Amino acid sequence: MFAFALTASAPLTAVYGGIGSALNLTGNSGIAFGFVGVTVALLLFTNGYVAVARDLVHTAPLYAQNARGVGPVFGGMTAATTLFSYNAIQVCLYGLIGVTLSGKLGLLPWWGWALAVWAAIAVLGMLHVRASATVLMVLLAVEVLVVVAFVMAALAAPADGSTDLSPLLPSALFDGGGVSSVLALVIASFIGWEISAAFGEEARSERAVAVATFAAALFIGLLLTASAVAMVNADPHNGVPPSGELVFTTLDAVYGTVVFAVASILLITSIIAAGLSFHQTAARYGYALSRDGLLPRWLGRVRATSGVPVGGSLAQSVIGLVTIAGSAAAGASPDTLFGWGAGAAALGLLSTMAATCVSHILFFRRGHGRPVGVWTRLVAPVLGAAVMVSVVILLLAQNTVPALPYVLVGCAVAGGARAAWVVRHRPAARTSFGAPSNEFLETGGRFASAEARL
């Protein structure tokens, strides 16, 4: 599960697309402190998240924890914003892979490459997760080694001759420009770390879920913080705005063309793997919400032989195709698709997590779950919510897409309204919203129709 979370967060993609884009767009060298702050916030959030997940095992954990902690309507609201966020991060990756392949290989416009990758993900998304798991794990291991190699090279021989650790200071972030854009890309770089809990119905133990979730947040935070410092130190300050290409020029200069070529290939596989992970995660959310009556029943269809949520997977493929085709027809830049999608996902998911902190407090206050200490049931959720709400306010204050907050509010209202309708017409749903599936309960904690036992 740790590896699945890392695959979704895609370290090399985060360094190239997240850190590189933030430096290129804003020139703000304090992005490293942004990673430190977000890592702390996510670790605070994770205390309550995994504690609730022990007793509330669910394929769509953010939705389930809000539905059981606060109520069905609140669960429906956060379910809608979560699903929107996962879709936003998935489709933004089509822009990133399109412009990357077009720039490195040519031959096709960005949308042509995006469609080719879309087709591959559409097919892989219909297969058993084991079909690609082993290959993804190997590629992930090599990808992490490449990122570590870049960090070591950049810090051992900084472009300016001496190692600069000022990016770790708060002043570097808040005295720089584009703080909102920087934080949005920082948050987007983490998205996926939380999916470990979504595999709770297939996990070997409760402890495995908790360890994988904490480890993913901490590992990603440390790796990307170091990478952000390394990126600033690799910048030769030659008048050209820094970008993700600094990773490859540094690797080429220090390790040679073979490592450069391997890294270039891994960037492509990293983006594709991340896209596949979000495709599968969103499909699972669609399945879970259909199971509770919040989405059409056909989204809950699974393949009898493997348990793959084919309904949700097909829906994800349609959303991806419409987004690529619509962007191409409108003449939209792939950079715009990537930036808007990443920003929307960051704002949507962070808002949902802040709300979920409140649900954690209420979940334990109402006597649900096993007893936990005051740190887990109150202090950590309050601190986590405070940090996340502060960042959300900052993102909104400097938001450059006026329609985005209204879209998120619209999603939340629609999700809440649907949940209220279901409860009104199916009174039994009030107690079943967010509950583990009957199949999971009947098999004593083993979800037989699941895609894989991890």
Side-chain angles (χ1 to χ4, degrees):
M1 287 181 291
F2 171 75
F4 271 89
L6 242 61
T7 300
S9 294
L12 188 54
T13 299
V15 174
Y16 179 86
I19 299 173
S21 295
L23 287 173
N24 185 263
L25 292 172
T26 69
N28 190 324
S29 64
I31 186 172
F33 180 76
F35 278 109
V36 173
V38 172
T39 301
V40 171
L42 295 184
L43 288 173
L44 289 170
F45 170 83
T46 303
N47 279 273
Y49 186 58
V50 299
V52 174
R54 290 186 312 172
D55 300 293
L56 183 56
V57 182
H58 202 276
T59 308
L62 289 172
Y63 150 66
Q65 292 185 10
N66 282 290
R68 308 300 279 187
V70 178
V73 173
F74 198 69
M77 294 171 69
T78 53
T81 55
T82 301
L83 196 56
F84 170 82
S85 299
Y86 283 138
N87 275 286
I89 196 69
Q90 180 197 350
V91 298
C92 89
L93 291 173
Y94 287 124
L96 182 60
I97 191 66
V99 73
T100 300
L101 286 172
S102 180
K104 291 183 179 297
L105 302 178
L107 302 178
L108 296 173
W110 76 266
W111 53 264
W113 286 113
L115 285 173
V117 171
W118 167 84
I121 290 176
V123 172
L124 291 172
M126 298 289 286
L127 301 178
H128 199 292
V129 71
R130 290 191 201 130
S132 56
T134 302
V135 174
L136 290 177
M137 300 309 167
V138 173
L139 291 174
L140 175 64
V142 181
E143 179 183 339
V144 170
L145 288 175
V146 166
V147 173
V148 171
F150 161 68
V151 172
M152 293 173 61
L155 295 181
D160 287 346
S162 59
T163 303
D164 179 11
L165 298 181
S166 65
L168 293 169
L169 299 175
S171 58
L173 175 64
F174 293 107
D175 291 346
V179 177
S180 176
S181 297
V182 169
L183 289 175
L185 287 166
V186 166
I187 296 162
S189 298
F190 277 95
I191 295 178
W193 68 272
E194 75 288 347
I195 69 172
S196 300
F199 293 91
E201 291 179 338
E202 303 119 72
R204 298 183 188 279
S205 68
E206 299 168 351
R207 187 173 182 275
V209 175
V211 170
T213 308
F214 269 111
L218 186 58
F219 183 83
I220 293 167
L222 291 173
L223 184 64
L224 296 184
T225 299
S227 299
V229 175
M231 188 81 81
V232 172
N233 279 270
D235 182 10
H237 301 289
N238 57 4
V240 178
S243 70
E245 290 300 323
L246 280 175
V247 175
F248 300 99
T249 56
T250 302
L251 291 173
D252 189 22
V254 176
Y255 301 106
T257 55
V258 173
V259 174
F260 171 83
V262 170
S264 298
I265 294 171
L266 284 172
L267 173 62
I268 295 168
T269 59
S270 173
I271 300 172
I272 295 173
L276 177 60
S277 294
F278 288 119
H279 176 104
Q280 292 172 330
T281 300
R284 294 167 71 85
Y285 260 80
Y287 160 74
L289 298 179
S290 170
R291 189 169 70 188
D292 285 359
L294 292 175
L295 290 176
R297 287 188 176 277
W298 65 268
L299 285 171
R301 287 180 49 220
V302 297
R303 182 166 289 163
T305 55
S306 63
V308 173
V310 292
S313 185
L314 285 171
Q316 292 310 119
S317 297
V318 170
I319 291 170
L321 179 60
V322 169
T323 301
I324 296 170
S327 298
S333 161
D335 294 323
T336 300
L337 176 59
F338 173 70
W340 285 7
L347 182 59
L349 202 59
L350 197 68
S351 301
T352 301
M353 288 181 178
T356 307
C357 286
V358 177
S359 296
H360 294 161
I361 296 171
L362 294 177
F363 182 86
F364 292 114
R365 185 176 291 275
R366 292 173 176 175
H368 300 315
R370 282 164 277 187
V372 295
V374 66
W375 169 260
T376 299
R377 71 173 185 268
L378 182 62
V379 178
V382 168
L383 293 176
V387 176
M388 290 180 180
V389 168
S390 299
V391 176
V392 167
I393 292 173
L394 183 58
L395 292 176
L396 290 173
Q398 299 185 13
N399 174 48
T400 58
V401 185
L404 179 55
Y406 299 101
V407 172
L408 284 170
V409 170
C411 286
V413 170
R418 174 60 181 172
W421 187 93
V422 172
V423 169
R424 180 179 178 182
H425 291 83
R426 305 175 201 164
R430 180 176 293 277
T431 57
S432 65
F433 266 35
S437 70
N438 291 332
E439 185 177 356
F440 175 76
L441 296 173
E442 291 166 1
T443 54
R446 284 172 172 75
F447 193 42
S449 69
E451 300 166 50
R453 182 155 158 70
L454 304 175

